[in-house]
Amino acid sequence: EFHIGKILSKTAKKNNFDFEFTQNLERQSDIGFYCLDSNYVKKVNAKLSIITLGGLDQGKLIWPNMWQKESWNKFDIGFLPGKTWKKKWLLSSWDINSRPKKSMNLIGWPKTEMIFRNIKKFKNDQSKMTKKLGFKKNKTIIYAPNRELDGKAKEVIDAAKKLGLNLIIKHFAWSQPHHKIKLQDIRKNIEISNNYAQKILGKKVYIVNPSDNIMNYYGLANLLITDQSSVIYEALLFDLPSLSISDWKSGNNNNSQNFRKLSIDKDVCIVCLRKDIKNKIKNIFKNYNLYKKKIIDKKHNYFSYLDRSCENFYKLINI
């Protein structure tokens, strides 16, 4: 959410807008921009309010009508990232909760602009990042789960070790005050798994600062492994295959009675059982071009206006 706002803020300067970031969701403003579950916004105090998704898999358990549990009709303007979300909205637009007061718009996903607005600069930055990691030329996995629990990380780390692969690990920070209480088990699991990765893989693992933008790392990997996170969709921007594990679980703590099954989008993700992780990774790399071909064009369904989403955003405001 922060990185979406950060990218938009760069264009804000060029458009002579004053701006600030705040965790006070009831802050008064001329324009309020929100990219999160709308239930967290108890009162809108912006003269013009704009809402979008916090993540591309938001409300996944109740698709297509995410809005049955999230009201966007208390905001003036909504915007969506691509054609697939437009279809979801069209199927749900009968629901008053899905209809912002003024308009719903397809303008793209601001995070794509950091790649496609200046591809040459982005490639140069990626080259610098590759040197920073210091990996040898082995294949590289990026592991970026939504929830770290039930031994997920250990299974990926052990597979990477056995296959001689490099591993990039990117966890969420879960640093908000309510996260620190509700997700204290997840935070502890992250600490334990990161220590294990460094012990087992040494120089063949790089642990990303949770506050870093994961978009800087997709292009350095050959495969993404995750559970049910929105990173699966962002990886499409790099033609990067994704793997998820069908019998992994999700939850907010280590109490197995509260675990729930993953909801995996097989349209964009390869799936296997946890006992087959190592062999599936081997199979993907053996048939890499085939797996890559299956997802290479899907980014245009999930993301529109790859190089001008921010431009569209400010055109919309200035109408």
Side-chain angles (χ1 to χ4, degrees):
E1 295 163 6
F2 169 73
H3 290 296
I4 295 170
K6 185 177 180 181
I7 292 163
L8 286 170
S9 73
K10 292 181 179 179
T11 312
K13 291 180 180 178
K14 298 176 184 177
N15 285 267
N16 297 315
F17 284 94
D18 293 325
F19 65 89
E20 67 174 90
F21 294 90
T22 179
Q23 294 184 37
N24 178 7
L25 299 179
E26 296 183 11
R27 179 67 183 271
Q28 292 186 349
S29 62
D30 293 313
I31 300 171
F33 173 64
Y34 310 84
C35 53
L36 76 171
D37 182 328
S38 64
N39 290 312
Y40 287 111
V41 186
K42 303 303 181 185
K43 186 177 181 181
V44 177
N45 286 322
K47 294 178 183 177
L48 179 70
S49 56
I50 303 167
I51 180 78
T52 192
L53 306 167
L56 292 159
D57 64 344
Q58 194 164 321
K60 187 175 180 182
L61 296 177
I62 53 172
W63 281 357
N65 188 8
M66 174 197 80
W67 297 275
Q68 63 183 284
K69 290 190 176 180
E70 285 192 43
S71 176
W72 282 23
N73 69 352
K74 58 186 174 184
F75 302 93
D76 295 309
I77 293 171
F79 77 76
L80 300 171
K83 297 174 185 175
T84 54
W85 267 101
K86 176 183 176 181
K87 289 178 182 177
K88 289 179 178 61
W89 184 77
L90 289 173
L91 289 170
S92 311
S93 58
W94 58 267
D95 189 334
I96 192 170
N97 285 334
S98 74
R99 301 199 296 269
K101 296 174 186 175
K102 297 183 183 297
S103 66
M104 181 70 89
N105 307 270
L106 180 64
I107 72 165
W109 193 239
K111 289 172 76 172
T112 66
E113 202 155 311
M114 66 177 287
I115 309 165
F116 295 96
R117 188 73 168 180
N118 189 337
I119 293 177
K120 185 177 180 180
K121 179 182 182 303
F122 187 78
K123 287 183 176 179
N124 286 338
D125 291 343
Q126 293 275 280
S127 179
K128 293 177 183 176
M129 188 67 72
T130 300
K131 292 179 181 178
K132 178 181 176 181
L133 298 188
F135 288 159
K136 294 181 179 179
K137 292 185 178 180
N138 307 56
K139 300 288 188 185
T140 298
I141 294 170
I142 180 167
Y143 170 63
N146 182 280
R147 297 285 200 279
E148 184 55 65
L149 81 168
D150 196 30
K152 296 175 191 174
K154 185 178 186 302
E155 293 174 347
V156 175
I157 294 162
D158 290 346
K161 176 69 174 179
K162 291 175 182 176
L163 295 172
L165 304 173
N166 304 314
L167 182 63
I168 300 170
I169 297 176
K170 172 65 168 71
H171 285 106
F172 291 133
W174 301 121
S175 57
Q176 299 294 331
H178 62 286
H179 291 155
K180 291 181 179 180
I181 298 171
K182 184 178 180 180
L183 301 178
Q184 56 184 316
D185 281 0
I186 305 299
R187 289 164 56 84
K188 184 64 176 178
N189 294 344
I190 290 171
E191 180 183 350
I192 293 170
S193 64
N194 284 348
N195 289 338
Y196 180 75
Q198 290 174 323
K199 178 182 177 181
I200 298 299
L201 296 175
K203 293 182 179 180
K204 294 177 73 66
V205 65
Y206 182 86
I207 297 172
V208 179
N209 187 314
S211 63
D212 283 359
N213 191 344
I214 192 173
M215 298 286 276
N216 294 323
Y217 296 90
Y218 292 121
L220 311 181
N222 307 102
L223 177 67
L224 167 70
I225 299 181
T226 187
D227 38 23
Q228 56 181 17
S229 175
S230 63
V231 295
I232 292 171
Y233 302 94
E234 292 181 344
L236 295 175
L237 296 167
F238 298 82
D239 303 328
L240 179 66
S242 298
L243 172 66
S244 193
I245 315 305
S246 59
D247 51 345
W248 273 354
K249 306 294 183 182
S250 186
N252 292 330
N253 55 56
N254 292 335
N255 184 350
S256 61
Q257 292 183 342
N258 296 327
F259 288 177
R260 56 185 181 272
K261 291 183 64 175
L262 299 185
S263 175
I264 302 171
D265 189 347
K266 294 181 181 180
D267 181 50
V268 290
C269 191
I270 306 160
V271 179
C272 76
L273 294 169
R274 61 197 312 169
K275 68 182 179 65
D276 298 324
I277 291 176
K278 180 172 71 72
N279 289 334
K280 193 63 178 181
I281 294 171
K282 285 178 65 175
N283 177 265
I284 291 170
F285 286 142
K286 183 179 179 180
N287 301 282
Y288 195 71
N289 289 336
L290 177 63
Y291 281 106
K292 192 168 182 176
K293 185 178 180 181
K294 289 180 178 180
I295 57 132
I296 205 162
D297 292 324
K298 291 186 182 293
K299 62 174 173 276
H300 296 291
N301 290 327
Y302 288 88
F303 301 95
S304 299
Y305 307 110
L306 294 174
D307 61 348
R308 60 183 190 278
S309 177
C310 293
E311 179 184 332
N312 290 344
F313 178 84
Y314 286 99
K315 280 184 177 179
L316 183 63
I317 289 177
N318 283 315
I319 290 176

